[in-house]
Amino acid sequence: MGIKSGIASIVTFIVLTSIFHTSCSENQQESIPEKDTLPKYEPRIEYGFLLDTFNVVQDKIKSGMTLSHLFSPYGISQQKINVADQLGRDSAGLKFITEGNKYTVLRNKKDSSKTYYCIYEKNRVEYIIFDFRDSVNVTLVKRPVTITQKEIGGEIAKNSNLVFTIKDQLGDDAVAGELAESIAQIFAWTIDFFKLYPGDKFKVIYEEKQVEGEPYGIEEIKAVYFFNISAEYYAFRYTQNGEVGYWDQNGKGMKRPFLKAPLKFSRMTSGYTMRRFHPVQKIYKAHLGTDYAAPTGTPIMATADGTVESAGYTSGNGNFVKLYHNKTYQTAYLHMSKIEGGMHKGIKVKQGQIIGYVGSTGLATGPHVCYRFWKNGQQVDPRAEKFQATEPIKETELAAFKEHINPLLQKLDSIKITPAKEVAPEPENDSLQ
C-alpha cells in the first residue's frame, strides 16, 4: 500500500467516524425530551389536605341519608357517630345533612378500613371536618367571601319573567333567583311582577358575594331602574336616621301600606271580575278575588300589617286566613295547603310575614292562592287601589341624598340593555277556583 493510498484510507475512516458520531448524537438528542415538556406534578389539595396521600371517596348526599348512613359504610362505630352528631350540632349548627351536598371521605391509602376524616359541604361558604383519628373532633371552616360590584341590564321577553331573564345572563340559578327576589322586594309596592310585559326593562347595580371566584349570593342592591308598561321607576339604597331603605330619584319612599301581591313570584290566572265561568260549579258567577297560580307549598305573605281575624277551613275556601288591617281594609288568603303555625284569632302579623302555603283545598282544581280584598266592608279589586307612598327623604337630608345618588344615576343610565330572548310558553291552567 502506497503512502497516498494509506492517507486516503485514514481520511475516509475519520470522515465516516465523524458522520457516525454526529448521527448518534442527533438521535440521542431527539430521544431525550426537553425539561419543560416533562409532565409536572400537580398536588391535589382540598380542604387543606393533600389528597394524594389518602384513599379518597367523593360523592353526594342521597335522599333520606343521615350521618349514620354517611359514616357507617366506612367503619365508623355507632358510638363515634353519636358523638360526631352531637358535636356537629353544638359546634357547626348541623341539624341534618342535605340531599345533593358533596362529601369527601379520606382513608388510609394502604388500609381502607381505617377512616381518618370526612368533610361535608354544608354550603358554598362552610364545610365541616369530622376527624375520626382518635377521639372525635368536629371543625367548622368558613371560606373567605369577597364582595364585587356588578351591574346588568335586561329586557323581558315574551313568555319570560324577571328570574329567567337574569338567569340567562348570570348563569347561576341561586344568585339569579336572589337578585330577582331582591328587586321584586324593592318594588313590591309599585310594580306588579305577575304582570310584566314583553319589552319591560331593568338595570341594576349590586354587590355580589363570591367564594373562590365563584358567585355565591347578593350582598346588597345599590340602585335599580325598572321600565314597566309605560312608566319608569328608580330606587336607591340610602340610610336615613340610622335605617336603611330605598327611595326614588326625588326622595319619595318606595314602601306603601299594601304589597301588590301575596306571593313573590307566580302568575296571575284570574282577576277580579263580575262574570267568570266557574271551573268546578260550571256556571258563570262573580269572582271577587285575584288568583295567583304557584306550586304547592309556595309561601303566602301577609300583604300588610294586621291582626288575624279568622283562620280555619270551609268547604269553599279550603284552608284560609283572614286579616284585619284597620277600620277600612281587610284581606283573605284562600285554598292553602296548610296554615302557618300560630295563626289564630288575635295574632298580629307583619307585612311580608308568611301566613300559609299555596294549595288547592276547597273549591279549587289546581294549586293557587285566591287573594281577596275588602274596603269599607265591600270586596274590591286591590290592583285598582292607589296607596300613598310613605317615608320621604327629609328636607334637611335631601341635598345629601341627591349627592349620594347622582353617580349611581349616571351609572344606571350608562348600563346597556341585553336584548330579550324569547322562551317557550308554559302550559296554561285555567281550571282554578
Side-chain angles (χ1 to χ4, degrees), residues 146-151 175 178-179 182 204-210 216-223 237 246:
T146 58
I147 306 298
T148 304
Q149 182 166 300
K150 298 267 190 173
E151 57 268 341
V175 175
E178 187 177 344
L179 181 57
S182 298
V204 58
I205 302 170
Y206 66 100
E207 290 183 341
E208 182 181 84
K209 294 186 288 188
Q210 296 181 352
Y216 165 65
I218 304 301
E219 178 70 9
E220 65 180 44
I221 290 181
K222 303 179 80 67
R237 182 182 173 93
Y246 288 88

Side-chain angles (χ1 to χ4, degrees), residues 99-367:
E99 180 181 356
N101 285 15
K102 295 188 295 186
Y103 69 87
T104 299
V105 179
L106 304 181
R107 300 186 289 178
N108 185 289
K109 198 171 182 69
K110 295 181 178 180
D111 183 1
S112 61
S113 66
K114 296 179 180 178
T115 297
Y116 294 149
Y117 304 96
C118 180
I119 301 96
Y120 169 71
E121 290 268 1
K122 190 177 179 183
N123 50 54
R124 288 197 195 180
V125 175
E126 300 172 317
Y127 60 88
I128 302 171
I129 300 175
F130 293 91
D131 183 348
F132 295 110
R133 287 174 300 171
D134 296 308
S135 59
V136 181
N137 288 292
V138 177
T139 305
L140 176 66
V141 182
K142 294 185 178 182
R143 298 182 174 99
V145 177
T146 58
I147 306 298
T148 304
Q149 182 166 300
K150 298 267 190 173
E151 57 268 341
I152 63 169
E155 180 182 1
I156 306 299
K158 185 179 180 180
N159 303 319
S160 189
N161 58 34
L162 184 60
V163 178
F164 291 154
T165 304
I166 294 176
K167 177 185 171 184
D168 188 57
Q169 293 192 49
L170 299 186
D172 187 286
D173 289 7
V175 175
E178 187 177 344
L179 181 57
E181 182 175 316
S182 298
I183 294 172
Q185 287 176 344
I186 291 170
F187 291 116
W189 298 272
T190 51
I191 297 176
D192 189 343
F193 283 89
F194 309 102
K195 205 173 182 180
L196 297 181
Y197 292 86
D200 284 358
K201 301 175 180 67
F202 67 92
K203 301 176 182 181
V204 58
I205 302 170
Y206 66 100
E207 290 183 341
E208 182 181 84
K209 294 186 288 188
Q210 296 181 352
V211 176
E212 297 177 345
E214 294 296 321
Y216 165 65
I218 304 301
E219 178 70 9
E220 65 180 44
I221 290 181
K222 303 179 80 67
V224 58
Y225 161 86
F226 214 103
F227 175 86
N228 176 231
I229 307 177
S230 60
E232 292 184 312
Y233 301 92
Y234 286 89
F236 299 92
R237 182 182 173 93
Y238 190 71
T239 302
Q240 180 175 240
N241 296 332
E243 292 188 10
V244 177
Y246 288 88
W247 288 262
D248 71 10
Q249 71 275 28
N250 299 313
K252 292 183 179 179
M254 306 300 297
K255 190 174 181 180
R256 285 168 171 77
F258 285 87
L259 299 175
K260 279 286 187 178
L263 303 177
K264 288 180 179 176
F265 292 101
S266 170
R267 61 186 175 89
M268 190 184 75
T269 54
S270 182
Y272 180 97
T273 178
M274 299 308 295
R275 181 175 170 81
R276 187 195 70 156
F277 185 75
H278 196 287
V280 178
Q281 297 175 328
K282 306 300 182 184
I283 59 172
Y284 283 94
K285 59 185 293 188
H287 183 249
L288 305 181
T290 306
D291 286 346
Y292 295 100
T296 298
T298 300
I300 298 170
M301 304 178 295
T303 55
D305 293 354
T307 304
V308 176
E309 185 176 300
S310 56
Y313 179 89
T314 67
S315 58
N317 296 335
N319 294 318
F320 76 97
V321 172
K322 186 175 183 180
L323 300 179
Y324 173 89
H325 302 287
N326 52 43
K327 63 181 181 180
T328 304
Y329 296 110
Q330 293 83 41
T331 58
Y333 314 77
L334 316 182
H335 311 304
M336 296 177 172
S337 58
K338 69 173 183 175
I339 299 169
E340 178 73 347
M343 290 294 126
H344 55 79
K345 186 174 181 177
I347 291 295
K348 294 187 180 300
V349 297
K350 289 289 187 181
Q351 186 180 64
Q353 182 177 335
I354 296 172
I355 59 173
Y357 302 87
V358 169
S360 52
T361 57
L363 281 178
T365 58

Side-chain angles (χ1 to χ4, degrees), residues 384-398:
E385 291 294 304
K386 303 296 183 184
F387 297 105
Q388 183 66 35
T390 57
E391 304 175 21
I393 294 293
K394 295 179 180 179
E395 286 292 333
T396 55
E397 282 273 335
L398 201 53

Side-chain angles (χ1 to χ4, degrees), residues 13-28:
F13 174 77
I14 292 172
V15 170
L16 290 175
T17 303
S18 175
I19 292 172
F20 174 76
H21 280 297
T22 301
S23 175
C24 288
S25 176
E26 288 176 353
N27 288 338
Q28 284 177 349

